Amino acid sequence: MTDPSATRRFPGGAPPSGPALRVSLLGWSLVLLLGTALGTGLATLWITSVAVVALGAGIPLTLLSTVLVRWFAGLHRHWAADRLGEPMAPPYLPPPDAGWPRRLWAILRDPATWRDWAWLVVNSITGWFTYGLSFILFLGGIFYLIYPLLYQLTPPQVFRTPLGNGFRLRSVQESFVMVPLGPVLLLLWYTTAVRLANLNALVIRSLLGPTEQARLRARVQQLAASRADTVDTQAGELRRIERDLHDGAQARLVSLGMSLGLAEQLLPNDPQAVQRMLAEAREATTDALAELRDLVRGIHPPVLSDRGLDGALRALALVNPIPTTVVTRLPGRLPAPVESAAYFAVTEALSNAIKHARPQHIRIEVEFTPHRGGGTGELTMRVSDDGRGGAAIGVGVGVGVGVGVGADAGVGAGTGLHGIARRLAAFDGTLTVDSPPGGPTEVRMSLLCASS
């Protein structure tokens, strides 16, 4: 059976399986055994530093040991996440923005700090029963396979009583009786290596992973931030609509009203001037209607309501100045808010590609993948181009994003990739960018939703 976490560790090639996986785990067993000795030393250092912290001299030592322990735990947390194929976020609380005494006190009060210490103690025991046992089984299998050779090369006092004084070997021929133990131990190692490694990963996750309370707290914070971003985004959209109406269609309609009033006054004396003014008024009416259509299209395109996400994206590709290919795999219509969010996210990504990447061709892929046992699923959108690349997501306040090569340095709130991230956050969506210098670039967006 293929290891589910192998793809995470080997994204560019075939995942290890069978003997290759066991050999890989054997190497990790040796590394983790050495880490167990290091962990014992770190536990001793941490206990000593905390014991003398009241004397004042232990404060720097406590900070140093805490940093080392968290780094050491982070390495094991990453290894366990790869083994189990599940992400494992650090469970530490953010320290307060205050002086060193308060920061140190907050770190010492953090339950995750004490769980790190507990894990160091537990790992020094469980490690030998998991990856330690796996390593010993492998060494034992090799040892008994070459037992006759060891018997021949070693002094007479060595390897003559492998099972105690009641069982003595007197010749090389008799030592071959121990060889069958080699395949047995190797078979045990082969069949238990993955299970023992996963068992150790489960122990690491139980002690170093975030608790249910921490996950709920993080979820509440995420929802609060997402709600605040959504409210800010909607307020910004309303201000944009009001500004567009005031500066565009409203100004044209006011000018139209003034022109009609002037034409009414000139009608008895200068019919030709009135005729020219009416022609200008008709042109102004046409321009106002065009601006209103553009404004409505920016709020919710009519084609999106009429033809769904598939038709709206294909219509968008037809008017795009860059040749654009659209590939969709959708089972049907999606909820209207999801279609709207997906459409505008793709539109913004497309606009960024045209503005910054200077591509020759753009490809849009949209796919809905249903989850097992229900109508919900994940809507994945990929906008890729063959431009110059260099785009990157930089975390700032909230979900701040800046685009690299060719991008404006200061991307305003609600624009560019920042706007995409904020729009997707309202649906627990994600945004990832793969854009090496020189290209190509792929912007991948996903939303959780249900198919109708």
Side-chain angles (χ1 to χ4, degrees), residues 18 21 29 45 55 66 81 91-92 100 117 124 149 162 183 190 197 288 345 351-352 368 376 379 430 433 443 451:
L21 175 60
S29 297
L45 175 64
L55 303 178
T66 301
Y92 308 113
W100 283 111
W117 176 82
S124 63
L149 180 62
Y190 189 88
S351 176
N352 284 342
F368 179 82
T376 61
L379 178 65
T430 60
V433 178
V443 178
S451 174

Side-chain angles (χ1 to χ4, degrees), residues 72 91 173 274:
F72 189 66
Q173 290 75 12
V274 171

Side-chain angles (χ1 to χ4, degrees), residues 53-367:
V53 71
L55 303 178
I59 293 179
L61 186 60
T62 301
L63 291 175
L64 175 61
S65 60
T66 301
V67 170
L68 290 176
V69 170
R70 289 193 172 186
W71 166 78
F72 189 66
L75 294 179
H76 283 76
R77 190 181 294 111
H78 179 71
W79 180 84
D82 281 348
R83 275 279 358 120
L84 300 176
E86 301 173 359
M88 193 183 305
Y92 308 113
L93 298 176
D97 188 10
W100 283 111
R102 290 187 59 186
R103 291 173 64 89
L104 177 60
W105 179 241
I107 292 174
L108 292 178
R109 291 180 59 190
D110 190 347
T113 300
W114 293 93
R115 290 171 65 209
D116 286 350
W117 176 82
W119 167 77
L120 285 177
V121 177
V122 171
N123 185 66
S124 63
I125 301 173
T126 59
W128 289 101
F129 289 98
T130 52
Y131 47 77
L133 177 59
S134 179
F135 192 73
I136 291 173
L137 286 174
F138 177 81
L139 290 183
I142 299 298
F143 173 79
Y144 284 112
L145 278 178
I146 63 173
Y147 200 90
L149 180 62
L150 296 174
Y151 184 97
Q152 179 70 26
L153 298 178
T154 54
Q157 297 81 10
V158 183
F159 299 132
R160 269 43 177 186
T161 56
L163 302 180
N165 292 329
F167 184 79
R168 178 173 293 274
L169 301 176
R170 295 177 175 81
S171 64
V172 175
Q173 290 75 12
E174 290 184 359
S175 67
F176 275 92
V177 74
M178 305 303 300
V179 172
L181 289 177
V184 172
L185 293 178
L186 288 177
L187 180 62
L188 284 175
W189 163 74
Y190 189 88
T191 56
T192 61
V194 175
R195 293 180 176 86
L196 290 174
N198 290 343
L199 177 61
N200 180 257
L202 290 173
V203 173
I204 293 175
R205 185 178 66 179
S206 64
L207 289 175
L208 297 184
T211 61
E212 186 65 26
Q213 183 180 5
R215 281 192 290 266
L216 289 175
R217 188 187 302 113
R219 179 60 174 164
V220 169
Q221 293 175 351
Q222 178 189 2
L223 291 176
S226 174
R227 183 182 62 181
D229 277 344
T230 302
V231 172
D232 291 343
T233 301
Q234 294 301 322
E237 287 290 319
L238 289 177
R239 289 192 297 269
R240 180 187 66 81
I241 294 171
E242 181 182 4
R243 183 177 62 251
D244 290 346
L245 284 173
H246 182 272
D247 298 340
Q250 180 178 336
R252 292 186 181 277
L253 292 176
V254 170
S255 176
L256 174 63
M258 295 174 61
S259 298
L260 291 177
L262 183 59
E264 184 180 6
Q265 296 177 6
L266 295 177
L267 182 60
N269 303 322
D270 194 352
Q272 293 183 352
V274 171
Q275 186 176 6
R276 290 194 302 270
M277 296 181 67
L278 290 177
E280 294 175 357
R282 184 175 64 252
E283 184 178 352
T285 303
T286 303
D287 293 341
L289 287 175
E291 290 187 0
L292 286 174
R293 290 193 187 97
D294 292 339
L295 182 61
V296 171
R297 191 177 296 110
I299 299 173
H300 190 82
V303 66
L304 187 61
S305 300
D306 298 338
R307 299 169 55 188
L309 183 59
D310 183 16
L313 293 179
R314 296 186 184 279
L316 184 65
L318 290 176
V319 298
N320 190 25
I322 306 296
T324 303
T325 301
V326 178
V327 178
T328 59
R329 288 179 286 273
L330 301 174
R333 293 296 299 267
L334 301 174
V338 173
E339 285 190 336
S340 178
Y343 174 82
F344 284 109
V346 172
T347 302
E348 194 66 49
L350 191 64
S351 176
N352 284 342
I354 297 172
K355 181 179 180 181
H356 303 302
R358 299 178 183 176
Q360 300 298 318
H361 184 267
I362 299 176
R363 181 179 177 87
I364 301 173
E365 297 181 60
V366 180
E367 180 179 7

Side-chain angles (χ1 to χ4, degrees), residues 39-60:
T40 303
L42 287 176
T44 304
L45 175 64
W46 199 83
I47 294 172
T48 303
S49 63
V50 173
V52 298
V53 71
L55 303 178
I59 293 179

